[in-house]
Amino acid sequence: FVVGSAFRWTQALVAVCAAVALIPLAWSRRSLVMRSPVVWCIALATGLTLLQLLPLPDFVMHALQPVGSSLRDSGAALAHTSPWRSLSLDPASTLRDLCFFVILLATAIVALRFTVSERGRYRVLAVVAGVCGLVAFVVWIHQLVGADSLYGLYTPEQAHASVLGPLLNENHLGCLMAMGAMLALGLTMYARQRTWWRSIWLGITALCSATAVASESRGATLALIAGLLLTGGMLIAQRFFGKDRSKSRRSFATTSLPLTIIASCAMIVVVYVSAGGVSEQLERTDFSQIDRPLSKVSIWMSTFTLIEESPWIGVGRGAFE
């Protein structure tokens, strides 16, 4: 929300918030959080990113990254300089992403600490879905007033998104909205809450779905459709194959099924109304794009060459040649 994270100090602000949230957990004796696969995966990514920044001997550099080391040596000879001897070809970007992983690790630890109980898990999911709904609300306020700058404070210089919101990249915004729609849809079916909360989650589902489609992100739109089918299948499986099948079936038929139908119809109507831009992009998408040299598929295929040149550690997260 802080000016679309366009400035470095916005990331620093999130880091301060994460550090403050970790203070009460410093002396906690609960070790379940640290054994979580989520924490270990993020910690592994953090460690590998840190390894890419450490200065290493030349023989190690040439063994792990022969092509990148040769490029660095040639560039240093031409420019008469002595660059930082690390595996990353762009240490500044890799350092920035290391900070990102540390913040993400702190956020994961705090979130997992809250989810030790069912009520805590509900609150964490509710906060995430609520934030997604607030993002969608901000997007539509900008659309309503025809704004061309974020909050009237920051005008994007490189991003030219179809909708303007807290995430300036429309693909990032669309995928966040697709995730928020699925979270809100799942919370709509949660029985242990007040009825008016279900109405709020249903509204957030429709709002996030409309924003995901309005972003004109094809990936987000397809993810929204796939997520709707997957979420519906999971809800049906829980009701019909759970431990208390008879009670679940009665509850599903009288409460969850009508809500599911209403939510699905609302999403379909909202998607249909706001799907003009993304439908045009999907119509222009065909298999002939695979052979085009500047298509995304060609870019994906070319990454195999980069992997062969730096097979062990890569060129540094966020780095480029």
Side-chain angles (χ1 to χ4, degrees), residues 19-90:
V20 171
L22 280 176
I23 293 177
L25 307 181
W27 294 275
S28 176
R29 295 184 178 181
R30 293 180 180 268
S31 59
L32 294 177
V33 170
M34 300 309 297
R35 292 201 297 264
S36 170
V38 175
V39 172
W40 278 106
C41 287
I42 301 175
L44 177 62
T46 305
L48 290 174
T49 306
L50 177 61
L51 178 62
Q52 293 172 332
L53 281 173
L54 296 177
L56 298 174
D58 289 341
F59 72 93
V60 177
M61 296 274 293
H62 286 281
L64 294 178
Q65 193 189 71
V67 176
S69 299
S70 300
L71 287 172
R72 189 199 317 273
D73 293 340
S74 300
L78 290 173
H80 302 288
T81 184
S82 299
W84 183 257
R85 306 294 297 178
S86 66
L87 291 171
S88 174
L89 297 181
D90 189 353

Side-chain angles (χ1 to χ4, degrees), residues 269-280:
V269 171
V270 168
V271 168
Y272 177 78
V273 171
S274 56
V278 72
S279 61
E280 293 180 1

Side-chain angles (χ1 to χ4, degrees), residues 248-259:
S248 297
R249 289 179 180 178
R250 288 194 301 269
S251 175
F252 179 75
T254 57
T255 305
S256 298
L257 182 59
L259 280 174

